[in-house]
Amino acid sequence: MDKIKRTRIVELLESRDFGSVVNVKGWVRTHRSSKVVDFIALNDGSTIKNIQIVVDPQKFAEEQLKQITTGACISVVGELVESQGAGQASEIQCHEIEIYGLCGNDYPMQKKGQSFEVMRKNAHLRLRTNTFGAVMRIRHNMAIAIHKYFHDHGFFYFHSPIITASDCEGAGNMFQVTTKNLYNLKKDEHGKIEYDDDFFGQQTSLTVSGQLEGELGATALGAIYTFGPTFRAENSNTPRHLAEFWMIEPEVAFIDQEELMDLEEDFIRYCVRWALDNCKDDLDFLNKMVDKTLIARLEGVLKDDFVRLPYTKGIEILQEAIKNGKKFEFPCNWGDDLASEHERYLVEEHFKKPVIMTDYPTSIKAFYMKQNEQKGEESVGYKGCVAPGPTMQGTDVLFPQIGEIIGGSVREESYDKLMAEISRRDMETEKLWWYLDTRRFGSCPHAGFGLGFERLILFVTGMQNIRDVIPFPRTPKNAEF
């Protein structure tokens, strides 16, 4: 048996080499038995589709066939033949079966449907289900698409640190990294913990973003992107939050706000197109079983140009909707940070296509974002839009079902202006000296954005909970697997 090389099921289902003897290995989805013939549906993870194994029960011991239950792992040698049934072109007439791993009746992922909550409690086994197999194959394809897009467009893959002493200006609560004895912490006379005896000699944490380091890369290599894990210690038990997630953060020298929006739109459309072109079987399954509007929504992203909407105009649209009877849970006055419900209204109900929102109030965005021209009390932003207060050159992409999927901006390249904003916010600059040096030594115009990878996977798969698009979710009180 071992002399015949294993063939993946995805390849066998495309093969028309009928009459050849093949070896296939995988996990049993179903086993239907009768006195005349047994049918085993086998899956090896290479495709959403199973291959049918046709077994003559007279040629095998009854006890062996009884052991082949849902979830069991087996190896089959047999003849590839043209299928007599509907649904697939080929099947295998079984000659030999070897059982690698038995699976008892207490196997949690039985053929009957399981709730997503039950599957999260069995995250070590849920990957074998059709739904999670589809999601993980799409996740892989999206990662490939991201790397290919940036490589083909002249970006360099840049590895920003996971352990950092910077908080990227309050981007989220952070997980500390330390070798200190937590039962005997060294403190100063004021009771403050001292870190001079810690591994790095200072307080360090897991990164919330690779952006600041990415900017350093852009000012040397021209165009870079980071793609790695990030961590936020926020006690949020919502369908949109994870404590550990992946971020894609390109930073580019010598581009302006318009060019940044062009990049954001072209990139996200490329990813969606890649999914439609390369994940058809998995998308068809998810469109049938999870979200019947999924494929239409993905195709819709490719049909029209994204709307480019100044924040001030967006607020006017939202307030007009309120006047006409629309109810929102959260306020949306000028200066408010828009909630997901506001973003989704603009995308799903008003424009009915993706929106790139620009020129947010400076007060609700980060210190490093480039401010628009100020004329008296008013701010003049994208396409001459006038706002009642200071605004910055933000470029956030809003998507249906998700809300914000990309957050971006032009970065402030002027040392004096950056320092003025830092001073206005009463920020400490000691740990950002290296970042400020990029504005002192050969500063250049540059811009960038961040895309939460799991949010992209949520959109592309139609799944409703972010915990279901990452293999092993890290959430409050949950790090078991």
Side-chain angles (χ1 to χ4, degrees):
M1 183 181 289
D2 291 336
K3 292 182 180 179
I4 300 175
K5 186 177 179 181
R6 174 206 169 210
T7 304
R8 296 191 310 154
I9 290 174
V10 68
E11 296 160 3
L12 283 178
L13 292 175
E14 295 296 323
S15 175
R16 296 300 178 266
D17 189 15
F18 300 130
S20 62
V21 177
V22 298
N23 174 217
V24 63
K25 301 177 181 182
W27 293 268
V28 175
R29 286 286 194 259
T30 61
H31 180 187
R32 292 180 289 129
S33 302
S34 73
K35 292 182 179 179
V36 179
V37 64
D38 281 23
F39 296 105
I40 299 171
L42 199 66
N43 189 281
D44 65 0
S46 62
T47 172
I48 190 73
K49 297 177 179 178
N50 307 321
I51 195 163
Q52 181 166 272
I53 313 296
V54 183
V55 183
D56 182 349
Q58 304 303 317
K59 296 180 180 179
F60 295 88
E62 181 180 357
E63 190 59 34
Q64 183 186 28
L65 294 180
K66 284 184 177 179
Q67 292 178 320
I68 301 174
T69 58
T70 296
C73 184
I74 64 174
S75 173
V76 172
V77 171
E79 181 184 350
L80 185 69
V81 299
E82 192 169 0
S83 179
Q84 301 302 306
Q88 62 185 42
S90 56
E91 61 189 23
I92 297 174
Q93 293 284 347
C94 181
H95 295 169
E96 303 174 45
I97 298 178
E98 181 180 355
I99 299 175
Y100 286 152
L102 299 175
C103 201
N105 293 329
D106 58 345
Y107 177 52
M109 301 294 114
Q110 295 291 343
K111 185 175 182 290
K112 64 179 181 179
Q114 306 288 349
S115 71
F116 286 122
E117 187 60 36
V118 168
M119 287 193 277
R120 285 180 211 123
K121 293 177 181 176
N122 293 279
H124 58 308
L125 298 172
R126 70 175 183 168
L127 301 174
R128 298 187 197 174
T129 65
N130 286 334
T131 299
F132 284 91
V135 169
M136 293 307 142
R137 281 186 293 271
I138 291 172
R139 185 181 172 102
H140 157 79
N141 268 280
M142 288 297 92
I144 295 298
I146 288 163
H147 284 300
K148 181 168 173 53
Y149 178 88
F150 286 122
H151 177 73
D152 290 350
H153 286 77
F155 286 67
F156 296 101
Y157 185 23
F158 189 75
H159 298 117
S160 54
I162 290 177
I163 300 174
T164 179
S166 166
D167 70 351
C168 197
E169 202 271 313
N173 296 328
M174 304 179 77
F175 292 101
Q176 285 197 42
V177 176
T178 183
T179 58
K180 293 173 70 67
N181 180 354
L182 300 182
Y183 297 99
N184 186 25
L185 293 172
K186 179 182 176 182
K187 299 180 180 180
D188 63 17
E189 59 185 8
H190 303 292
K192 187 176 180 179
I193 297 173
E194 295 183 340
Y195 288 90
D196 57 348
D197 61 338
D198 205 354
F199 186 90
F200 294 105
Q202 59 182 312
Q203 185 176 351
T204 55
S205 305
L206 298 177
T207 185
V208 296
S209 169
Q211 180 205 312
L212 301 189
E213 292 86 356
E215 288 188 50
L216 310 187
T219 59
L221 301 172
I224 65 90
Y225 71 103
T226 73
F227 187 0
T230 51
F231 310 84
R232 297 192 181 179
E234 296 174 359
N235 190 20
S236 297
N237 261 312
T238 78
R240 291 290 183 270
H241 287 89
L242 290 168
E244 175 185 294
F245 55 99
W246 287 65
M247 286 282 287
I248 301 97
E249 297 177 290
E251 291 290 332
V252 195
F254 314 119
I255 66 171
D256 59 21
Q257 186 180 26
E258 191 81 39
E259 292 167 317
L260 176 61
M261 289 188 282
D262 290 343
L263 173 64
E264 292 172 336
E265 181 169 351
D266 190 57
F267 167 68
I268 199 78
R269 287 161 68 102
Y270 179 94
C271 291
V272 171
R273 188 178 298 110
W274 183 279
L276 288 167
D277 291 346
N278 294 276
C279 306
K280 183 180 185 307
D281 289 342
D282 290 319
L283 287 176
D284 284 345
F285 172 82
L286 293 171
N287 192 79
K288 178 182 178 182
M289 303 301 293
V290 175
D291 182 351
K292 290 179 170 52
T293 67
L294 172 60
I295 291 178
R297 193 165 60 249
L298 294 177
E299 291 174 342
V301 169
L302 305 180
K303 287 180 180 177
D304 301 308
D305 292 340
F306 294 4
V307 175
R308 299 188 176 186
L309 176 72
Y311 168 93
T312 300
K313 294 292 185 183
I315 290 293
E316 291 175 4
I317 292 170
L318 292 168
Q319 292 181 340
E320 184 65 27
I322 292 172
K323 289 179 184 177
N324 292 329
K326 179 68 180 178
K327 303 291 185 182
F328 291 116
E329 181 181 356
F330 297 101
C332 54
N333 298 308
W334 199 95
D336 290 334
D337 198 358
L338 295 185
S340 178
E341 61 175 343
H342 305 134
E343 296 167 343
R344 291 185 60 179
Y345 172 81
L346 293 169
V347 172
E348 297 170 17
E349 298 185 47
H350 187 82
F351 291 107
K352 294 182 170 57
K353 52 183 168 181
V355 170
I356 304 180
M357 184 163 279
T358 69
D359 305 321
Y360 288 84
T362 300
S363 60
I364 63 174
K365 290 295 184 178
F367 77 97
Y368 48 73
M369 297 185 179
K370 186 178 183 66
Q371 292 198 27
N372 285 312
E373 182 182 359
Q374 195 77 12
K375 291 186 176 180
E377 296 297 318
E378 296 181 331
S379 177
V380 181
Y382 179 67
K383 299 279 189 185
C385 182
V386 177
T391 61
M392 36 63 61
Q393 296 182 22
T395 57
D396 291 358
V397 180
L398 314 180
F399 256 32
Q401 301 281 350
I402 301 296
E404 181 190 322
I405 196 169
I406 283 178
S409 78
V410 179
R411 316 309 190 190
E412 179 56 70
E413 77 271 18
S414 165
Y415 177 83
D416 290 339
K417 290 181 179 179
L418 191 62
M419 285 300 297
E421 184 62 20
I422 288 173
S423 176
R424 189 185 71 80
R425 296 179 184 228
D426 197 25
M427 291 172 56
E428 296 181 5
T429 60
E430 291 180 6
K431 292 184 179 181
L432 287 175
W433 65 270
W434 48 270
Y435 180 74
L436 295 171
D437 267 3
T438 61
R439 275 63 172 179
R440 295 177 58 226
F441 304 123
S443 184
C444 68
H446 62 288
F449 67 81
L451 166 68
F453 188 46
E454 282 73 27
R455 289 202 171 190
L456 173 63
I457 307 304
L458 270 180
F459 180 75
V460 172
T461 61
M463 300 293 281
Q464 298 301 306
N465 195 313
I466 203 165
R467 303 176 192 203
D468 298 329
V469 296
I470 192 169
F472 306 105
R474 296 291 179 257
T475 54
K477 305 295 187 293
N478 177 35
E480 188 169 0
F481 302 100

